[in-house]
Amino acid sequence: MELTVNPVDRLQGRFCVPGDKSISHRAAMLGAIANGPTTIHGFLRAGDCLSTLQCLRALGVTIEETPDGIVVHGSGPRLRAPAAPLDAGNSGTTMRLLAGILAGQPFVADLTGDASLRSRPMDRIIEPLARMGAQVHALGGERFPPLRIAGGKLRGITYTLPVASAQVKSAVLLAGLYAEGDTTVVEHVVTRDHTERMLEGFGCRIQRVGSRITVTPSTLSSRNVTVPGDISSAAFLLAAAAARQGSSITVDDVGINPTRTGFLDVLASMGAGSEIGGRADRSGEPIGTVTVRGLRLQGTRIGGSAASSVIDEIPVLAVIAAVADGETVITDAAELRVKESDRIKTLAVGLRVLGADVTERPDGMVIRGGRLRGGRVEAGGDHRIAMAFAVAGLLAQGPVTVSGAETIDVSFPGFVETLQAVAGSPAVAALGKRSA
Ligand code: S3P
């Protein structure tokens, strides 16, 4: 699909975004290994989470689709050996979290994915799962998928995360459910804590003391989960509004877990105004209504632990930095190079095509703000890059055409319609096949 987005003076509107991707994956996986049916309202029906469902079905789990979500019929911690390799598609979360569960199963399973996923490093989960007693082989070379996992008897370990990664933390904690003895993960940089919250909601004994998270092997009890809107999806529209003076956008019923709202702090450091109202609890996750108002933006610095807290939002933050006053320096974000694409490179190349002044660095980039001309860019098979460049179209002097934009369906079905609603439909035109 080619998506063409024209410049607009301001963005206005109030809407909801689809369910949180991270929470949807976790709800389906925990439901699959719990006892009894788990009803998940607002489950994100998008490429990545559908990959999780497909893998769980191949592991013998019955999943019903309902008008507003799914019901996962868990029959306890033991799954069925799959007849064929499990396909995680484009989804790193599916592969890494499922590897944690497979490590505790008494059978051999292969986990594969698309070309992008097969180029992403898996040594970060292979190492701790092997230390727990699983045999995990990277069939795509030293550290790349497909993975062959021969699960079995596991022992609890204490593991200090070498990279700030919620996926690695979650893989180890999920394997910990099957281990003998407690498993502790030490994280020096706080990462999203949805696994911990949801494990607790499913009746698991888990506690955090300082930087140490300890899980005690437990059997999970099914429950109902309502998934909040995905703040990382909302971020594209909120950031666009922040960069257009006079704009105001409100997103209702969106997750405001403090491990996910770092980008609102970055917007504030750039001069945008935001407020959160209507705070409530939804299945153990904080939700609220987020409003962002556009003002003249200044460049900023994003580094240290703040960089990891906005890792999924850096693509759109880089775009608005390109139209802000002054320089933005992003450091400590080397993880961006091993996401769905090498996001440092795809961003730098695309932003330059659009007229930005960008210098790539090994762990980030320097963006000297000014104007974006517009032009034609490639999504590079990366949903967040496609949406970030679509936002560039709203803020440039001329239209931006994003090719390969069907990849947006990996995380944000309905993005084009939401963009049309807040920018005015003439501003946005999609051509060609919609789904990835
Ligand atoms: C995710 C964790 C993050 C994030 C990804 C989703 C998760 O990845 O970038 O979009 O659901 O746990 P890392 O664990 O690689 O940082």
Side-chain angles (χ1 to χ4, degrees):
M1 177 179 85
E2 279 206 340
L3 182 61
T4 298
V5 181
N6 293 297
V8 292
D9 287 338
R10 69 181 53 161
L11 294 113
Q12 216 86 49
R14 183 168 195 143
F15 54 91
C16 291
V17 285
D20 189 277
K21 180 157 82 70
S22 293
I23 297 174
S24 294
H25 283 299
R26 287 159 170 81
M29 289 190 205
L30 295 196
I33 56 170
N35 283 314
T38 288
T39 301
I40 309 171
H41 299 281
F43 180 83
L44 174 65
R45 227 180 273 266
D48 269 13
C49 297
L50 294 176
S51 293
T52 287
L53 297 192
Q54 196 185 311
C55 291
L56 293 174
R57 284 184 170 125
L59 288 161
V61 182
T62 302
I63 299 168
E64 270 175 80
E65 317 248 341
T66 61
D68 81 325
I70 58 171
V71 183
V72 181
H73 293 273
S75 50
R78 297 280 164 240
L79 300 170
R80 194 182 68 199
L86 302 165
D87 186 359
N90 191 240
S91 174
T93 307
T94 305
M95 182 168 283
R96 295 193 176 120
L97 270 60
L98 210 49
I101 292 175
L102 291 172
Q105 304 296 326
F107 52 75
V108 181
D110 286 357
L111 252 175
T112 190
D114 68 8
S116 153
L117 186 54
R118 280 186 276 110
S119 69
R120 296 179 67 183
M122 293 297 150
D123 45 339
R124 53 185 61 194
I125 54 160
I126 294 174
E127 207 248 322
L129 295 179
R131 275 181 51 190
M132 294 179 82
Q135 288 183 39
V136 190
H137 298 288
L139 305 179
E142 212 182 308
R143 58 189 197 130
F144 298 108
L147 297 180
R148 176 157 296 162
I149 303 174
K153 239 174 130 37
L154 302 181
R155 54 187 166 271
I157 58 168
T158 295
Y159 189 68
T160 301
L161 291 181
V163 277
S165 165
Q167 292 176 355
V168 177
K169 170 176 68 176
S170 302
V172 177
L173 292 176
L174 292 174
L177 292 175
Y178 296 89
E180 214 175 279
D182 290 357
T183 293
T184 298
V185 176
V186 184
E187 62 170 6
H188 291 303
V189 173
V190 176
T191 64
R192 64 191 68 194
D193 63 357
H194 307 300
T195 301
E196 297 92 302
R197 287 171 186 260
M198 198 166 288
L199 277 171
E200 195 178 355
F202 275 77
C204 172
R205 276 190 58 198
I206 180 159
Q207 56 169 358
R208 179 174 194 121
V209 179
S211 58
R212 299 168 71 85
I213 305 142
T214 300
V215 65
T216 300
S218 321
T219 305
L220 306 182
S221 313
S222 62
R223 59 170 300 198
N224 290 343
V225 178
T226 300
V227 179
D230 196 324
I231 185 115
S232 297
S233 296
F236 293 97
L237 301 139
L238 294 171
R244 269 288 183 252
Q245 287 187 65
S247 297
S248 172
I249 278 190
T250 297
V251 186
D252 288 309
D253 288 339
V254 67
I256 51 166
N257 181 315
T259 61
R260 298 286 299 282
T261 51
F263 86 99
L264 293 174
D265 302 330
V266 175
L267 291 185
S269 77
M270 298 179 83
S274 72
E275 71 201 42
I276 300 181
R279 289 173 191 268
D281 175 273
R282 183 164 288 173
S283 307
E285 289 280 348
I287 63 156
T289 292
V290 178
T291 299
V292 167
R293 285 179 236 289
L295 290 165
R296 180 94 215 133
L297 297 186
Q298 317 293 321
T300 190
R301 287 185 170 265
I302 305 172
S305 59
S308 100
S309 81
V310 295
I311 204 77
D312 288 346
E313 290 76 36
I314 285 179
V316 76
L317 290 170
V319 166
I320 63 169
V323 296
D325 290 335
E327 194 174 82
T328 293
V329 182
I330 302 171
T331 55
D332 306 307
E335 274 293 300
L336 286 174
R337 293 207 182 269
V338 291
K339 293 291 181 186
E340 286 81 332
S341 69
D342 174 345
R343 286 185 176 157
I344 294 178
K345 194 172 181 175
T346 39
L347 274 171
V349 169
L351 282 173
R352 272 192 223 115
V353 167
L354 300 180
D357 180 352
V358 185
T359 309
E360 228 185 278
R361 285 188 174 171
D363 68 339
M365 61 186 85
V366 179
I367 303 158
R368 282 160 287 273
R371 289 178 180 187
L372 289 175
R373 271 191 312 265
R376 171 178 285 275
V377 283
E378 280 288 330
D382 186 326
H383 55 126
R384 297 200 200 279
I385 295 293
M387 290 186 274
F389 286 153
V391 167
L394 300 171
L395 308 177
Q397 292 172 310
V400 170
T401 296
V402 186
S403 58
E406 64 278 1
T407 184
I408 290 170
D409 277 351
V410 156
S411 65
F412 194 165
F415 173 74
V416 171
E417 291 73 14
T418 308
L419 204 57
Q420 282 168 337
V422 296
S425 25
V428 187
L431 210 73
K433 200 170 150 273
R434 296 298 281 270
S435 352

